[in-house]
Amino acid sequence: MPFEVLVALRFLREGRIQTLLILSGIGVGVGVIVFLSALIGGLQDSLIERTLGTQAHVVVRAPEDVVRPVSESSPGLAVAPRLERPAQRLRSIVGWAQTLDLVRSLPGVRAAAPTVAGAAFALRGLANRSVALRGVEPASFRNIIDMAPRLTAGEFRVDATNAVLGVELASDLGVSVGDKFRLETPAGRSDVFLVAGIFDVGNKDLNERWVFVSLRSAQTLLDLSGGISTIELKVEKIFDAERAAGEIAARTGLQADSWMKLNRQLLVGLRSQSASSWMIQFFVVVAVALGIASVLVVSVVQKSREIGILKAMGTRTIQVVRIFLVQGAVLGLAGSILGSGIGAALSYFFASLATNPDGSPTFPVNLSPVLFLGAAAVATLTGLLAAVAPAERAASLDPADVIRYG
Amino acid sequence: MAEPLVVLDGLTKSFGTEIVTEVLHGIDLEVLPAEFTALVGPSGSGKSTLLNLLGLLDRPTSGRIVLAGRDTTPLTDDERSAVRGRTLGFVFQFHHLLPEFTALENVMMPMLAARGREEKGMRERALSLLEEIGLADRASYRATKLSGGQQQRVAVARALVLEPPLVLADEPTGNLDTESGAQVFELLRRVSALHRTAFLVVTHDERIAARCDRVLTMVDGRIRSDVRNGRP
Ligand SMILES: Nc1ncnc2c1ncn2[C@@H]1O[C@H](COP(=O)(O)OP(=O)(O)OP(=O)(O)O)[C@@H](O)[C@H]1O
Ligand SMILES: [Mg+2]
C-alpha cells in the first residue's frame, strides 16, 4: 500500500466520530441525489411511456391548404388584402403507398401504419355522440399502438361489420360486445357496425371518443376511396422523433409532426422538473464538498503535530498533499457507497408507499448501475476537490513550529 | 583528522519582521563523524534554534550549513526534505511518535516515506532495531500505549532506521524521570558506538553532559566554550 494511502487511512480510522459523522453526512447527501435521480427519472420515464402508449411518435399528413388573398389587387386601388383560411377538409396523401415504403425505409423508423382519421357520430337509439373515427389495418397498427392488452371485453377485430370502441362510449351508448350501433359522418354517409371489442386506454377522453373501424370502412364513410389521411409511425429512439419528422417533411413535402411537438407542454414541464432536480443536486454536492472540506481543515489543525513529525522524518511536501487528497477521495467514495444504499432504500420505500391495484408502483423508480457509478464518481471527485485547500494548508505547515511548541 | 560531517560557517538567525531579534550571532562549528556531543547552556541561549537550523527544519538568516560535504543553503524545500531523510535523524523532547501507528510502524515510517511504500526487509530491519532497544515485545503496541521512556526509545530507533550519519536530539531525557532518562541516554551512547553515528544532544543535565565526548556551551547565541573530554 502506498505510504500516503496508509497514513491517510490511519488518520481517518483514528478520527472515529469525526469520520463517522462526515461519512453519514456524505451518505445522506449522496442518498438524496440517488433518490431524486431515481424518482425523477422513473417519473419522467413513466409519464412519457404513458403519453406515448396512446400516441404515434410521428404523424404524417397532407399539408394544409395554402392561404391566399381573396380579392385580387388591381393597380391604383389600395385594398387591404383579406386573408381567409379555407375550411380544412380531409385530404388524402397522394401516392401514399410509395410514401409509406419510403418512410418505412428510413433509418431509425421502427414501424409505420396507414390510417384514416376523421370526425363522425356514433348513434344508438336516442344516444348520439361525437366521435373520432380511426380507420386502421390491425396488422400494421398493432406496431403503433397495441390495443389488444387494453381491451376489457371482446377482441380487436375491425372489418366490414365490426368496430371497437372505448368503455366510456360503450356505456354512453349502452352497448356491449355483440351489440349494434350506427356510425354517421357529417357528410351524411352512415353504416351499422357490431361491437367486437371494448377498450380502456386509461384516458377518459380517448375512451369516449375513439372508434376503430377497418381502413376500408373509414375510407368509405369519410369519402376517401382508396386514400389515407395519415401515416403514423414509431421510431427506435423516442427523442429522435423530432429529427425523423423533419427528415420526412423535407423528403416528402408532407406535414410531419413529432410527439415532441404535439406534447410541447409536457416536455417543457419535464425539462423544468429536470432543471430543478439538477439544481437541488448541485447544492447538495456543494454542501457535501463544504462538509468534507471543513472536516479536513479541522483535521489538519488536529494533526499538525503528526504532519510536523512526518516532515521532520523526510516526508516531502507533495506526499503531505497526497495524504489529505486521499482522505478527501476516500471519504467521498465511502460516503457514496453508503449513500447509494440509502438512496436505493429510500427509493424502494417510496415506491412501496403508492402502488397500483395490480401491485406495481404508481411511481416507478429508475435505479440503474449508471446512477450509482455516477454518484460514486461525483462524490469521489468532490472529495478530492474539497481536500485541495486543507491539503495545501497541511503542506505549508512549518515543522519547526510544531516541534518547537510540541 | 577525518572529514567533518557538519560545517557551520558564520551562521546567524533572526526572528521577527517588525522588531528583529538576532538569536544566533555567527556560529562556526565542525562536527566529526561518530562524535557524541552535548550542547548545554542557559534557557533561551539558542540551542533549539541552532538544532532546528542544523536539522534543515528552519533556514538561517545568513551563513552556510554544509552537511556531509554538501552546501544546503541553495536547496529547495523538497531537496532539503530529501537530505534530511538521508542524513539526519531526530529525537525530540516530547516523544514525537505518530499515535495512529504501532511502535513497529513508527520505526518503519522514515523508510516508508523515503521509498513510497513497504518493501521487503523493512519490517525485519525495524524489528531488529526494536530488539536492540529492548522493545521487540512491544512491536505491535500502539505508540500511545507505551510509557514515556519506551516512547523515547522507539523514537531513537526511528531516528536510526535509515542509518543517518548524524542524529539531533533536543532534550531527549528532559521529559523523563531520572531512571528512564539514564536508560535512554545509555541507549544513545550504545547505538552511537554500534552504528558509528554522530549525536548532537541538547541537555540541561550536568551528569549527562559530563559523559559525552565533547561539550559545547552556548550563551546568548554564541558558543562560549568547546571542551573535548578524553578523546582528542
Ligand atoms: N520562532 C521564534 N520567533 C521569535 N523568537 C524565537 C523563535 N524561536 C526562538 N525564539 C527566541 O530565540 C531565543 C532562543 O530560543 P531557543 O528556543 O533556541 O532557546 P533554547 O536555548 O533552546 O532554550 P531552552 O533551554 O529553554 O529550550 C529565545 O529568546 C526565543 O524567545
Ligand atoms: Mg530548547
Side-chain angles (χ1 to χ4, degrees), chain A residues 3 10 13 303 305-306 319, chain B residues 96 99-100 105 113 116 142:
Chain A
F3 163 70
R10 206 58 75 84
R13 205 175 78 187
K303 304 273 183 215
R305 206 171 76 93
E306 283 84 343
Q319 291 178 302
Chain B
H96 281 304
E100 296 85 356
E105 288 166 332
R142 276 299 171 89

Side-chain angles (χ1 to χ4, degrees), chain B residues 1-227:
Chain B
M1 198 164 111
E3 175 97 347
L5 188 58
V6 181
V7 178
L8 304 186
D9 184 7
L11 210 60
T12 71
K13 178 66 181 178
S14 305
F15 288 112
T17 43
E18 278 168 37
I19 308 164
V20 181
T21 1
E22 194 173 82
V23 179
L24 296 181
H25 318 285
I27 305 269
D28 297 309
L29 179 69
E30 292 191 354
V31 177
L32 299 178
E35 201 170 36
F36 201 101
T37 308
L39 183 56
V40 297
S43 184
S45 54
K47 305 181 297 291
S48 297
T49 308
L50 179 62
L51 223 61
N52 283 345
L53 292 181
L54 198 51
L56 307 186
L57 296 170
D58 212 347
R59 283 178 189 266
T61 307
S62 70
R64 281 189 329 141
I65 301 172
V66 182
L67 272 181
R70 187 170 184 192
D71 184 1
T72 59
T73 323
L75 298 182
T76 66
D77 281 353
D78 271 343
E79 288 167 335
R80 286 151 59 91
S81 289
V83 171
R84 192 154 59 220
R86 258 200 319 275
T87 329
L88 298 168
F90 292 91
V91 181
F92 309 104
Q93 173 175 4
F94 309 98
H95 7 81
H96 281 304
L97 294 184
L98 296 172
E100 296 85 356
F101 294 87
T102 63
L104 184 71
E105 288 166 332
N106 266 287
V107 176
M108 286 170 72
M109 206 48 73
M111 297 190 280
L112 296 176
R115 307 294 301 169
R117 62 177 62 240
E118 184 173 343
E119 287 172 3
K120 247 182 79 181
M122 284 184 181
R123 202 164 278 274
E124 290 70 26
R125 161 139 189 79
L127 253 177
S128 82
L129 274 169
L130 282 179
E131 229 154 77
E132 213 171 287
I133 60 165
L135 285 178
D137 57 332
R138 299 285 191 275
S140 56
Y141 277 46
R142 276 299 171 89
T144 45
K145 295 273 186 292
L146 299 175
S147 74
Q150 289 173 331
Q151 291 191 35
Q152 198 61 310
R153 279 149 68 194
V154 171
V156 172
R158 184 180 66 187
L160 290 171
V161 76
L162 288 178
E163 306 248 283
L166 173 64
V167 172
L168 304 174
D170 197 344
E171 303 188 34
T173 59
N175 236 18
L176 301 175
D177 60 72
T178 324
E179 196 185 332
S180 344
Q183 226 179 3
V184 168
F185 182 74
E186 283 314 315
L187 176 66
L188 293 182
R189 293 257 26 179
R190 191 151 49 82
V191 294
S192 170
L194 194 64
H195 298 271
R196 293 203 37 82
T197 310
F199 273 76
L200 185 56
V201 182
V202 174
T203 181
H204 285 287
D205 189 330
E206 295 293 326
R207 284 169 302 172
I208 284 182
R211 298 181 54 201
C212 294
D213 300 339
R214 181 183 179 189
V215 180
L216 296 170
T217 310
M218 278 193 83
V219 178
D220 284 342
R222 289 196 172 78
I223 293 179
R224 170 66 59 82
S225 76
D226 182 355
V227 180

Side-chain angles (χ1 to χ4, degrees), chain A residues 171-190:
Chain A
S171 80
D172 285 352
L173 296 179
V175 293
S176 48
V177 172
D179 289 346
K180 279 186 187 165
F181 72 108
R182 174 186 291 276
L183 283 171
E184 195 174 305
T185 60
R189 293 176 179 258
S190 79

Side-chain angles (χ1 to χ4, degrees), chain A residues 101 109 113 127 129 139 168 173 220 387 391:
Chain A
D101 286 343
V109 172
R129 293 284 181 277
E168 315 281 345
L173 296 179
T220 312

